[in-house]
Every structure is written in C-alpha cells, then in structure tokens.
Amino acid sequence: MSAETGNDTSLIEQAAKRLRQQQSAEPAPEPTPASASAATEVPSAAAEPQGARTPPTAQASPEDEDEDRGARVTIDLARLKAEGCVTPDGDRSRVAEEFRIIKRPLLENAFGRTALLVEQGNLIMVTSSLPGEGKTYTAVNLAMSIAMEMDKTVLLVDADVGRARVHKMLNIPMGPGLIDLMVDPSLDVGDVMLRTNIPKLRIIPMGKFHPHANELLASGDMQRLLHEMASRYEDRVILFDSPPLLVTSEAVVLSNLVGQIVFVVEAQRSLQHSVKDALGLLDASKPIGLVLNKTRHLGGDYYYGYGGYGLGGYGQGEERT
C-alpha cells in the first residue's frame, strides 16, 4: 500500500467516525402513530394524530354525564325502614314482597322479551282518584323496589305540582326540579336530577311553584321531555308521582303520555263511584294496575287486579300520603 493510499484510507476512516458521532448525538426521529402503537403498549397523547376521535367505548354515556351535574342527597334509609317502607338493606318483609309482585308485570311490559312490549312502557304514572289515598307512598316504595333490580335503574319524578310530597317523604330538597326544567331552556335533565345514596335511584323533585304549573305539565314541552326520558335511558324506569285524576285535568294529560299506569285505591275509604269516574278518564288500552292500599292484615294477603294483571294490596292500616 502506498503512502497516498494510506492517507486516503485514514481520511475515510476519520470521516466515517465523525458521521457516527453526529448520528449518535442527533435525537431519534419521532415514530409515526402506527409505529408508536407498535413500539409501546400505552401510546402517549403526543403520538395520536391531531383531531383523533375518542373510541366509542370511551365516550361518556348520558348517565355518565348526569353524574357530573345535579346535587347529591342522602336518604335516611333507617328512618324509612322504621316507617315500614321498602329499603335496599331491609329484610324480606310483607311490604317488600308485595312490591316485588307489583313491579314484576310493569318491568315485563317495559323490557320483556315478548313481541307485545308496551310503547314507552318504561314511563309509569302512579295516581289515584283523590288526594290522600297513598300514591306517593306507592311511588316511593315502588321506586325503591325497582332500584334493587340487578340490571335496571329508576328515576322518580314528582309531578304532583299542586301537592308535592316526594321531597317531604324522603327529606330532600324541593328543587330545582321538574318545573324549573320546564321554564328554563338552559337546564338539562341532568341539572335537576338528584343523585342518592342508593346507586340505582335518581330523583327529580317538583321544583319551585309556578303560577302556570298545571299548564306546563300539559304542554308540548312536557311531551317532548317525556319522549326524551323514555328514549335516553334504555335500562331506566321513570316513575311519575302524578296529581289525582279527579282533582286536575293535567293528570289525564300526563296519563296519555306514559306507557303504563298504577292506580292506587284506599281500602275502606275510596268511594266506588270515584274510582269508576277516575278510571273512565284513562285510556283503557294501556296496562292499568290497581293497588289496594291501607288494608288491614286479617291473616291473608289481598290482591286486586285490573287491566290484565293483579297487584298487591299493602299496608296495615297506617296513614299514608
């Protein structure tokens, strides 16, 4: 090898060495989104292409969104249990068993696997002919019983705009609630929905009094709201504590919007003609179940049926609202 050739080889080796040094000093190029996902198990946010959408499985559901709004309230379950109400942690009492009987056909009509499901069957109205026959007591206990289902949730709505009782019975705030939702277009259902210490129970109280509350209940906005409620939550039962049928015309309007009706009759007090008059105001093509309330236990259970299925009578002479 000549000296000239040796010099050339030396220069080449020095250049190659400098090139290797430069390459080791330069940062590695950022991987593309495809290579990034292959290189690491958990891709960083920077590796995602700009404008990428959240996968459908990660999108917030309406119920998840509701969890971020509205207030949280604590229901005194011990007090309700002491008053003879159904509670998730209660024993297998006679009342609890009878409400299991009451809820079963309602759930079957709303979510059963038969081809004859009731349209908007998850919208259920609890009413009576006159005040004081026990509809609020029925609505609250029915909501508690449904909340014990493994695959269902329940929303209890106080729609008795003339004599709201749900908030008193459960000792929760009266509002904001249904009326506020009707008059304030900026509010959403989740804004007035109260979360409770019962995981599957939500409540919408009546809200503030309004001089035209009855007209609001009979309005087109109410109809659109009910349709939204029925379609927004696939596994949810929406119970309405309604005004009595013979007191306000709005109860009749509401009955036309729901899929099922639970009609409460007070034993030994409700007049036969009042019950007949009230039932005559309802659409007989809908499932209507009668609950005989405030019966006295005489050593046997009472059952009273109407509209295609039987419902249990309950109570042992206690005063119920």
Side-chain angles (χ1 to χ4, degrees):
M1 179 181 295
S2 66
E4 183 177 358
T5 302
N7 291 336
D8 291 342
T9 302
S10 177
L11 290 174
I12 293 173
E13 291 176 349
Q14 293 175 10
K17 183 178 181 180
R18 287 195 299 269
L19 181 59
R20 287 194 296 270
Q21 292 174 346
Q22 291 175 359
Q23 289 176 340
S24 62
E26 293 176 356
E30 293 185 5
T32 62
S35 62
S37 60
T40 178
E41 294 183 0
V42 183
S44 65
E48 295 183 358
Q50 186 175 5
R53 294 184 178 183
T54 304
T57 54
Q59 290 179 348
S61 68
E63 290 190 60
D64 292 334
E65 295 174 1
D66 290 340
E67 293 296 328
D68 297 330
R69 302 195 301 274
R72 182 177 180 84
V73 297
T74 300
I75 298 174
D76 189 345
L77 299 179
R79 178 181 64 83
L80 290 180
K81 183 178 179 180
E83 294 177 356
C85 296
V86 177
T87 58
D89 59 347
D91 301 327
R92 293 180 66 90
S93 64
R94 178 170 174 257
V95 172
E97 289 301 317
E98 288 175 341
F99 273 101
R100 287 189 175 97
I101 296 172
I102 292 172
K103 73 178 177 181
R104 196 53 56 199
L106 297 170
L107 295 178
E108 186 65 24
N109 286 337
F111 307 104
R113 298 180 180 180
T114 65
L116 300 177
L117 292 180
V118 175
E119 183 179 359
Q120 295 194 156
N122 60 331
L123 296 179
I124 303 172
M125 166 179 155
V126 182
T127 188
S128 60
S129 56
L130 296 169
E133 295 183 294
K135 63 179 184 60
T136 299
Y137 174 80
T138 302
V140 169
N141 281 277
L142 184 56
M144 291 285 184
S145 185
I146 295 175
M148 296 163 62
E149 292 288 310
M150 295 294 100
D151 57 350
K152 298 291 180 289
T153 63
V154 58
L155 171 61
L156 176 60
V157 182
D158 193 343
D160 191 349
V161 295
R163 192 173 178 266
R165 304 288 294 177
V166 170
H167 70 284
K168 291 184 178 180
M169 185 171 176
L170 297 179
N171 195 26
I172 61 175
M174 186 174 179
L178 178 63
I179 297 301
D180 304 270
L181 188 61
M182 299 294 295
V183 300
D184 188 347
S186 67
L187 291 178
D188 184 69
V189 173
D191 297 320
V192 299
M193 185 183 298
L194 298 178
R195 296 169 289 155
T196 74
N197 52 320
I198 302 174
K200 295 184 179 181
L201 173 63
R202 302 288 185 271
I203 300 171
I204 294 181
M206 190 200 76
K208 63 185 178 183
F209 284 102
H210 191 278
H212 303 294
N214 292 337
E215 287 77 9
L216 290 171
L217 197 64
S219 68
D221 289 339
M222 184 66 178
Q223 183 175 0
R224 287 186 288 271
L225 175 62
L226 264 62
H227 178 73
E228 177 191 352
M229 287 182 174
S231 58
R232 186 173 186 179
Y233 308 102
E234 295 181 354
D235 65 341
R236 174 166 287 177
V237 175
I238 300 97
L239 285 178
F240 295 90
D241 182 19
S242 160
L245 286 162
L246 298 182
V247 175
T248 65
S249 60
E250 288 71 31
V252 179
V253 175
L254 182 59
S255 72
N256 293 326
L257 302 178
V258 301
Q260 303 188 73
I261 301 168
V262 175
F263 187 96
V264 180
V265 177
E266 182 180 359
Q268 302 172 345
R269 179 183 172 187
S270 297
L271 298 177
Q272 185 177 11
H273 70 82
S274 296
V275 174
K276 287 184 176 180
D277 290 346
L279 290 175
L281 298 174
L282 300 175
D283 183 355
S285 66
K286 294 185 177 183
I288 305 172
L290 270 70
V291 173
L292 186 62
N293 184 34
K294 302 183 185 178
T295 60
R296 296 187 181 276
H297 185 50
L298 300 176
D301 291 334
Y302 292 83
Y303 297 98
Y304 190 85
Y306 178 81
Y309 58 92
L311 299 181
Y314 55 89
Q316 299 182 23
E318 306 96 327
E319 288 301 315
R320 303 297 184 192
T321 58

Coordinates of all heavy atoms in Angstrom, one line a residue, residues 54-102:
T54 N -62.3 10.1 20.2 CA -62.3 9.1 21.2 C -63.0 7.8 20.8 O -64.1 7.9 20.2 CB -63.0 9.7 22.5 OG1 -62.3 10.9 22.8 CG2 -62.9 8.7 23.7
P55 N -62.5 6.7 21.1 CA -63.2 5.4 20.7 C -64.6 5.4 21.3 O -64.8 5.9 22.4 CB -62.3 4.3 21.3 CG -60.9 5.0 21.4 CD -61.2 6.4 21.8
P56 N -65.5 4.7 20.6 CA -66.9 4.7 21.1 C -67.0 4.1 22.5 O -67.8 4.6 23.3 CB -67.6 3.8 20.1 CG -66.8 3.9 18.9 CD -65.4 4.1 19.3
T57 N -66.1 3.2 22.9 CA -66.2 2.6 24.2 C -65.8 3.6 25.3 O -66.1 3.4 26.5 CB -65.3 1.3 24.3 OG1 -64.0 1.7 23.9 CG2 -65.8 0.3 23.4
A58 N -65.1 4.6 24.9 CA -64.6 5.6 25.9 C -65.5 6.8 26.0 O -65.3 7.7 26.8 CB -63.2 6.0 25.6
Q59 N -66.5 6.9 25.1 CA -67.4 8.0 25.1 C -68.3 8.0 26.3 O -68.8 7.0 26.7 CB -68.2 8.1 23.8 CG -67.4 8.4 22.6 CD -68.3 8.4 21.4 OE1 -69.4 7.9 21.4 NE2 -67.7 8.9 20.3
A60 N -68.6 9.2 26.9 CA -69.4 9.3 28.1 C -70.9 9.0 27.7 O -71.4 9.5 26.7 CB -69.3 10.7 28.7
S61 N -71.5 8.2 28.4 CA -72.9 7.9 28.2 C -73.7 9.0 28.9 O -73.2 9.8 29.7 CB -73.3 6.6 28.9 OG -73.2 6.7 30.3
P62 N -75.1 9.2 28.5 CA -75.9 10.2 29.2 C -75.9 10.1 30.7 O -75.8 11.1 31.4 CB -77.3 9.9 28.6 CG -77.0 9.3 27.2 CD -75.8 8.5 27.5
E63 N -75.9 8.8 31.2 CA -75.9 8.7 32.7 C -74.5 9.1 33.2 O -74.5 9.7 34.3 CB -76.2 7.2 33.0 CG -77.6 6.8 32.7 CD -77.9 5.5 33.3 OE1 -77.8 5.3 34.5 OE2 -78.3 4.6 32.6
D64 N -73.4 8.9 32.5 CA -72.1 9.4 33.0 C -72.1 10.9 33.0 O -71.6 11.5 34.0 CB -71.0 8.9 32.1 CG -70.8 7.4 32.2 OD1 -71.2 6.8 33.3 OD2 -70.3 6.8 31.2
E65 N -72.7 11.5 32.0 CA -72.8 13.0 32.0 C -73.6 13.5 33.2 O -73.3 14.5 33.8 CB -73.4 13.5 30.7 CG -72.5 13.1 29.5 CD -73.1 13.5 28.2 OE1 -74.3 14.0 28.2 OE2 -72.5 13.2 27.1
D66 N -74.7 12.8 33.5 CA -75.6 13.2 34.6 C -74.8 13.2 35.9 O -75.2 13.9 36.8 CB -76.8 12.3 34.6 CG -77.8 12.6 33.5 OD1 -77.6 13.7 32.8 OD2 -78.6 11.7 33.2
E67 N -73.9 12.3 36.0 CA -73.2 12.1 37.3 C -72.4 13.4 37.6 O -72.0 13.7 38.7 CB -72.2 11.0 37.2 CG -72.9 9.6 37.1 CD -73.7 9.3 38.4 OE1 -73.3 9.7 39.4 OE2 -74.7 8.6 38.2
D68 N -72.1 14.2 36.6 CA -71.3 15.4 36.8 C -72.1 16.6 37.1 O -71.6 17.7 37.3 CB -70.4 15.7 35.5 CG -69.5 14.6 35.2 OD1 -69.0 13.9 36.2 OD2 -69.1 14.3 34.0
R69 N -73.4 16.5 37.0 CA -74.3 17.6 37.3 C -75.3 17.2 38.4 O -75.5 16.1 38.7 CB -75.0 18.0 36.0 CG -74.1 18.4 34.9 CD -74.8 19.1 33.8 NE -75.9 18.3 33.2 CZ -75.8 17.4 32.2 NH1 -74.6 17.2 31.7 NH2 -76.8 16.8 31.8
G70 N -76.0 18.2 38.8 CA -77.0 18.0 39.8 C -76.4 17.7 41.2 O -75.2 17.5 41.3
A71 N -77.2 17.8 42.2 CA -76.8 17.6 43.6 C -76.8 16.2 44.0 O -77.5 15.3 43.4 CB -77.6 18.5 44.5
R72 N -76.1 15.9 45.1 CA -76.2 14.5 45.7 C -76.9 14.7 47.0 O -76.5 15.5 47.8 CB -74.8 13.9 45.9 CG -74.8 12.5 46.4 CD -73.4 11.9 46.5 NE -73.5 10.6 47.1 CZ -73.7 9.5 46.4 NH1 -73.9 9.6 45.1 NH2 -73.7 8.3 47.0
V73 N -77.8 13.8 47.3 CA -78.6 13.8 48.6 C -78.5 12.4 49.2 O -78.3 11.4 48.6 CB -80.1 14.2 48.3 CG1 -80.2 15.6 47.8 CG2 -80.7 13.2 47.4
T74 N -78.6 12.5 50.5 CA -78.6 11.2 51.3 C -80.0 11.0 51.9 O -80.5 11.8 52.6 CB -77.6 11.3 52.5 OG1 -76.2 11.5 51.9 CG2 -77.5 10.1 53.3
I75 N -80.5 9.8 51.5 CA -81.8 9.4 52.0 C -81.6 8.7 53.3 O -80.8 7.7 53.4 CB -82.6 8.6 51.0 CG1 -82.8 9.4 49.7 CG2 -83.9 8.1 51.6 CD1 -83.4 8.6 48.6
D76 N -82.4 9.0 54.4 CA -82.3 8.3 55.6 C -83.0 7.0 55.6 O -84.2 6.9 55.8 CB -82.9 9.2 56.7 CG -82.6 8.7 58.1 OD1 -82.2 7.5 58.3 OD2 -82.8 9.4 59.1
L77 N -82.3 6.0 55.2 CA -82.9 4.6 55.0 C -83.4 4.0 56.3 O -84.4 3.3 56.3 CB -81.9 3.7 54.3 CG -81.4 4.2 52.9 CD1 -80.4 3.2 52.4 CD2 -82.6 4.3 52.0
A78 N -82.7 4.3 57.4 CA -83.1 3.8 58.7 C -84.4 4.3 59.1 O -85.3 3.6 59.6 CB -82.0 4.1 59.7
R79 N -84.7 5.6 58.8 CA -86.0 6.2 59.1 C -87.1 5.6 58.3 O -88.2 5.3 58.8 CB -85.9 7.7 58.9 CG -87.2 8.4 59.2 CD -87.1 9.9 59.0 NE -86.8 10.2 57.6 CZ -87.8 10.3 56.6 NH1 -89.1 10.1 56.9 NH2 -87.5 10.6 55.4
L80 N -86.8 5.5 57.0 CA -87.8 4.9 56.1 C -88.1 3.4 56.5 O -89.3 3.0 56.5 CB -87.3 4.9 54.6 CG -87.3 6.3 54.0 CD1 -86.8 6.2 52.6 CD2 -88.6 7.0 54.0
K81 N -87.1 2.7 56.8 CA -87.3 1.3 57.3 C -88.1 1.2 58.5 O -89.0 0.4 58.6 CB -85.9 0.6 57.5 CG -86.0 -0.8 57.8 CD -84.6 -1.4 58.0 CE -84.7 -2.9 58.4 NZ -83.3 -3.4 58.5
A82 N -87.9 2.2 59.4 CA -88.7 2.2 60.7 C -90.1 2.6 60.4 O -91.0 2.2 61.2 CB -88.0 3.2 61.7
E83 N -90.4 3.3 59.3 CA -91.7 3.7 59.0 C -92.4 2.6 58.1 O -93.5 2.9 57.6 CB -91.7 5.0 58.3 CG -91.3 6.2 59.2 CD -91.2 7.5 58.4 OE1 -91.4 7.5 57.2 OE2 -90.9 8.5 59.1
G84 N -91.8 1.5 57.9 CA -92.4 0.4 57.2 C -92.2 0.5 55.7 O -92.9 -0.2 54.9
C85 N -91.3 1.3 55.2 CA -91.0 1.4 53.8 C -90.0 0.4 53.3 O -89.3 -0.2 54.1 CB -90.5 2.8 53.4 SG -91.7 4.1 53.8
V86 N -90.0 0.2 52.0 CA -89.0 -0.7 51.4 C -87.7 0.0 51.3 O -87.6 1.1 50.9 CB -89.5 -1.1 49.9 CG1 -88.4 -2.0 49.3 CG2 -90.8 -1.8 50.0
T87 N -86.6 -0.7 51.7 CA -85.3 -0.2 51.6 C -84.4 -1.3 51.0 O -84.6 -2.5 51.3 CB -84.7 0.3 52.9 OG1 -84.8 -0.7 53.9 CG2 -85.6 1.5 53.4
P88 N -83.3 -0.9 50.3 CA -82.4 -1.9 49.7 C -81.8 -2.8 50.8 O -81.5 -4.0 50.5 CB -81.4 -1.1 49.0 CG -82.0 0.2 48.7 CD -82.9 0.5 49.9
D89 N -81.6 -2.3 52.0 CA -80.9 -3.1 53.0 C -81.9 -3.7 54.0 O -81.6 -4.3 55.0 CB -79.9 -2.3 53.8 CG -80.6 -1.0 54.5 OD1 -81.7 -0.7 54.1 OD2 -79.9 -0.4 55.3
G90 N -83.2 -3.6 53.6 CA -84.2 -4.1 54.5 C -84.4 -5.7 54.4 O -83.9 -6.3 53.5
D91 N -85.1 -6.2 55.4 CA -85.4 -7.6 55.4 C -86.5 -8.0 54.5 O -87.2 -7.1 53.9 CB -85.8 -8.0 56.9 CG -84.7 -7.7 57.9 OD1 -83.5 -7.8 57.5 OD2 -85.1 -7.4 59.0
R92 N -86.8 -9.2 54.3 CA -87.9 -9.7 53.4 C -89.2 -9.5 54.2 O -89.8 -10.5 54.7 CB -87.7 -11.1 53.0 CG -86.4 -11.4 52.1 CD -86.3 -12.8 51.8 NE -87.4 -13.3 51.0 CZ -87.4 -13.3 49.6 NH1 -86.4 -12.8 49.0 NH2 -88.4 -13.7 48.9
S93 N -89.7 -8.3 54.1 CA -91.0 -8.0 54.8 C -92.1 -8.3 53.9 O -92.0 -8.5 52.7 CB -90.9 -6.5 55.3 OG -90.9 -5.7 54.1
R94 N -93.3 -8.2 54.5 CA -94.5 -8.4 53.7 C -94.7 -7.3 52.6 O -95.0 -7.5 51.5 CB -95.7 -8.4 54.6 CG -97.1 -8.5 53.9 CD -98.2 -8.8 54.9 NE -99.5 -8.7 54.3 CZ -100.4 -7.7 54.4 NH1 -100.0 -6.6 55.0 NH2 -101.5 -7.8 53.8
V95 N -94.4 -6.0 53.0 CA -94.4 -4.9 52.1 C -93.5 -5.1 51.0 O -93.8 -4.9 49.8 CB -94.2 -3.6 52.8 CG1 -94.0 -2.4 51.9 CG2 -95.3 -3.3 53.8
A96 N -92.2 -5.5 51.3 CA -91.2 -5.7 50.2 C -91.7 -6.8 49.2 O -91.5 -6.6 48.0 CB -89.9 -6.1 50.9
E97 N -92.2 -7.8 49.7 CA -92.7 -8.9 48.9 C -93.8 -8.5 48.0 O -93.9 -8.8 46.8 CB -93.1 -10.1 49.7 CG -92.0 -10.9 50.4 CD -90.9 -11.4 49.4 OE1 -91.4 -11.9 48.3 OE2 -89.7 -11.2 49.6
E98 N -94.7 -7.7 48.5 CA -95.9 -7.2 47.7 C -95.4 -6.3 46.6 O -96.0 -6.3 45.5 CB -96.9 -6.6 48.6 CG -97.6 -7.7 49.4 CD -98.6 -7.1 50.4 OE1 -98.5 -5.9 50.8 OE2 -99.5 -7.8 50.9
F99 N -94.4 -5.4 46.9 CA -93.9 -4.6 45.9 C -93.1 -5.3 44.8 O -93.0 -4.9 43.7 CB -93.1 -3.4 46.5 CG -93.9 -2.2 46.9 CD1 -94.3 -2.0 48.2 CD2 -94.4 -1.4 45.9 CE1 -95.1 -1.0 48.5 CE2 -95.2 -0.3 46.2 CZ -95.6 -0.1 47.6
R100 N -92.6 -6.5 45.1 CA -92.0 -7.3 44.1 C -93.0 -7.8 43.2 O -92.8 -7.9 42.0 CB -91.2 -8.5 44.8 CG -89.9 -8.1 45.4 CD -89.2 -9.4 45.9 NE -87.9 -9.0 46.4 CZ -87.6 -8.9 47.7 NH1 -88.6 -9.1 48.6 NH2 -86.4 -8.5 48.1
I101 N -94.2 -8.1 43.7 CA -95.3 -8.6 42.9 C -95.8 -7.4 42.0 O -96.1 -7.6 40.8 CB -96.5 -9.1 43.8 CG1 -96.0 -10.3 44.5 CG2 -97.7 -9.4 42.9 CD1 -97.0 -10.8 45.6
I102 N -95.8 -6.2 42.6 CA -96.3 -5.0 41.8 C -95.4 -4.7 40.7 O -95.8 -4.4 39.6 CB -96.5 -3.8 42.8 CG1 -97.6 -4.1 43.8 CG2 -96.7 -2.5 42.0 CD1 -97.7 -3.0 44.8

